[in-house]
Amino acid sequence: MTLHHQPGKERIDAVRAFNRFYTRQIGLLDEGLLKSAFSLTEARVLYELAHRDGLTATDLVRDLALDPGYLSRLLKKFEERGLVERAATEADARRSSIALTSAGRQAFAPLNRDSHDQVAALLDRLPASDQDRLVKAMQTVQRMLGSDGAEPKIPYMLRTLQVGDIGWIVRRQGMLYAQDYGWDETYEALVAEILAAFVKSFDPKWERSWVAEREGEVVGSVFVVRRTDEVAKLRLLYVEPSARGLGIGKRLVDECVSFARARGYKTLTLWTNDILVSARRIYEAAGFKLVEEERHHSFGKDLVGQNWNLEL
């Protein structure tokens, strides 16, 4: 049973103060829309139609909290101006979906551009690290107060290495393999050596890094390193426990394979250990074949090392 505690006055006052502050900020951003030929509500309807397919009037009423009669008059005005068109939905011919016409998209474009520029100017006042903190905090508010508690539509993004990633990846891999498999600090040292060498000798034509980020946090990574003109090596695949089940491991391996093929490598190889069952399943699904096994004592444990190859 979950116990819910009544919020104290200090918390309520803090939320109300934030609401007043944020309302002022949004008001400043909305001023640009009010200078256009569209009202604020009209602009928001156009935004929804521009970014979502298959919307019905019922969807707009629900998602924008609009009066059905008001929305009906607004859409009729848009139709008369040639900005929107209706079509019967596949699920129910009696209901019609609403979409922007070419003229509607042209009318929306300057609104979208101005709104984008205003938010960019707002963020530009902050250093990059504070921008990340702000966006992460907004995503947290959206997730926690959303009516269905759903995760963001885009659960993660992939990017290349940034300053600070190397230390984080070394630390997290060391900790995770110690927790999950009891490996000692010599594995963390190996990860540090591999990544230090990657950065020092990085060749962007032949090598690549991918870092998975979710809500501002690093949740996975992988690297492709050149061995010869024909052979590349996939190294240090890992995914945080909090992000497993999202397909990040498969996506990272797929990116490695696509990159190796695009660069003209003949073989993509990797070294792993037989106890890393989840990773091995991903490699097998991607087409890698086990070519060699060897017992060894490393990281404080007796292990079975494996070499896997993918012929490209």
Side-chain angles (χ1 to χ4, degrees), residues 12-52:
I12 293 172
D13 288 345
V15 171
R16 294 179 68 186
F18 176 79
N19 285 345
R20 292 192 297 272
F21 165 79
Y22 192 63
T23 299
R24 289 195 298 272
Q25 295 295 315
I26 293 301
L28 292 174
L29 294 178
D30 286 344
E31 284 181 4
L33 294 177
L34 295 175
K35 295 175 183 176
S36 74
F38 299 98
S39 70
L40 182 57
T41 302
E42 289 172 340
R44 288 173 174 166
V45 171
L46 289 174
Y47 181 90
E48 292 297 316
L49 294 174
H51 290 86
R52 297 167 63 187

Side-chain angles (χ1 to χ4, degrees), residues 38-190:
F38 299 98
S39 70
L40 182 57
T41 302
E42 289 172 340
R44 288 173 174 166
V45 171
L46 289 174
Y47 181 90
E48 292 297 316
L49 294 174
H51 290 86
R52 297 167 63 187
D53 295 328
L55 284 177
T56 65
T58 301
D59 296 327
L60 292 170
V61 166
R62 180 191 64 240
D63 296 344
L64 298 180
L66 297 176
D67 175 77
Y70 173 78
L71 178 65
S72 178
R73 294 190 295 273
L74 186 154
L75 291 175
K76 183 178 180 180
K77 182 168 70 171
F78 280 176
E79 284 185 277
E80 292 172 349
R81 296 174 57 181
L83 301 180
V84 301
E85 57 188 359
R86 297 175 185 261
T89 62
E90 293 182 3
D92 186 349
R94 295 169 297 179
R95 302 178 65 200
S96 60
S97 62
I98 306 159
L100 291 182
T101 62
S102 177
R105 292 192 175 278
Q106 289 180 359
F108 173 71
L111 291 176
N112 193 46
R113 183 173 58 250
D114 290 346
S115 177
H116 173 276
D117 292 346
Q118 285 180 309
V119 173
L122 180 69
L123 291 173
D124 196 47
R125 296 170 4 200
L126 304 173
S129 59
D130 285 347
Q131 292 181 28
D132 290 340
R133 289 176 57 205
L134 176 63
V135 171
K136 182 181 177 182
M138 287 178 164
Q139 291 172 334
T140 299
V141 171
Q142 183 178 359
R143 184 181 67 252
M144 296 183 72
L145 296 184
S147 59
D148 58 0
E151 293 292 334
K153 292 181 180 178
I154 303 176
Y156 68 91
M157 60 173 285
L158 296 187
R159 59 170 175 78
T160 56
L161 277 177
Q162 296 177 357
V163 174
D165 287 341
I166 293 296
W168 174 266
I169 293 168
V170 170
R171 179 175 184 269
R172 290 303 296 157
Q173 289 221 21
M175 293 177 65
L176 291 173
Y177 281 91
Q179 293 167 4
D180 293 346
Y181 304 105
W183 292 5
D184 64 22
E185 66 276 9
T186 58
Y187 176 70
E188 185 176 4
L190 175 64

